[in-house]
Amino acid sequence: MRTFDLTPFYRSTVGFDRLFSLLDQAAGETAPGYPPYNIERTSENDYRITVAVSGFSPNELSIVSKENTLTIKGEKVANENARSEVLYRGIAARAFERAFQLADYVTVKNASLENGLLHVDLVREIPEAKKPRSIPITTSASQPQVIGSGDKAAA
């Protein structure tokens, strides 16, 4: 595994601390393989995270969005009334937790569970104050000339 020294960037940048922290975390972690997921871009400002959660019911799943982190957890509830004994377990039913780092202004729109897939729809809503705006450029020649009232009195 390669290691990167980000120290020179800390000295020459201001306000990018969070970005470098994310890079440090990403370099040190390997992503767990369960459950598998997809991240799709459905339009310019819309995204969808799809997580394969077959065997889980809606009450066994939780989705929490806090600050810039989306956390999806799944935990199977033990069925005490089950009368059968499992001889072989090939379908994974273990607890899991997946965390996704969200960019600024990305919020969860809704979540749905269909055919064993959990779909979490996200939208990026940039406030009007943060959107780029065009600034008109004026020159001194294009400004209207004002004749002072003192010129009329002298005439």
Side-chain angles (χ1 to χ4, degrees):
M1 174 179 261
R2 296 182 193 164
T3 58
F4 298 101
D5 183 19
L6 300 175
T7 307
F9 294 112
Y10 285 115
R11 290 189 301 243
S12 61
T13 59
V14 176
F16 290 94
D17 301 344
R18 188 175 183 296
L19 173 68
F20 294 128
S21 295
L22 288 173
L23 289 172
D24 285 338
Q25 288 176 357
E29 294 180 5
T30 58
Y34 180 77
Y37 65 93
N38 291 339
I39 300 175
E40 306 169 60
R41 181 180 213 163
T42 56
S43 71
E44 185 177 344
N45 290 318
D46 295 318
Y47 303 89
R48 174 176 265 193
I49 297 173
T50 303
V51 183
V53 292
S54 64
F56 285 87
S57 63
N59 63 342
E60 296 171 329
L61 297 169
S62 71
I63 302 170
V64 177
S65 178
K66 183 179 178 185
E67 296 175 1
N68 287 4
T69 303
L70 172 68
T71 305
I72 300 173
K73 293 181 186 179
E75 188 169 351
K76 291 296 286 182
V77 177
N79 189 357
E80 297 173 3
N81 297 331
R83 297 176 185 220
S84 64
E85 179 182 349
V86 177
L87 300 177
Y88 171 76
R89 184 172 306 272
I91 299 173
R94 62 181 182 248
F96 69 88
E97 180 175 337
R98 280 268 186 201
F100 300 92
Q101 295 296 320
L102 303 179
D104 292 336
Y105 312 116
V106 173
T107 58
V108 177
K109 189 169 34 173
N110 61 32
S112 62
L113 181 64
E114 57 187 53
N115 299 328
L117 297 174
L118 176 66
H119 301 288
V120 181
D121 294 317
L122 308 164
V123 62
R124 180 176 54 191
E125 297 173 339
I126 300 174
E128 288 296 323
K130 298 289 183 177
K131 290 183 179 176
R133 59 187 175 98
S134 179
I135 309 296
I137 300 173
T138 60
T139 62
S140 59
S142 64
Q143 295 178 352
Q145 294 182 352
V146 179
I147 300 175
S149 59
D151 293 343
K152 288 183 182 178

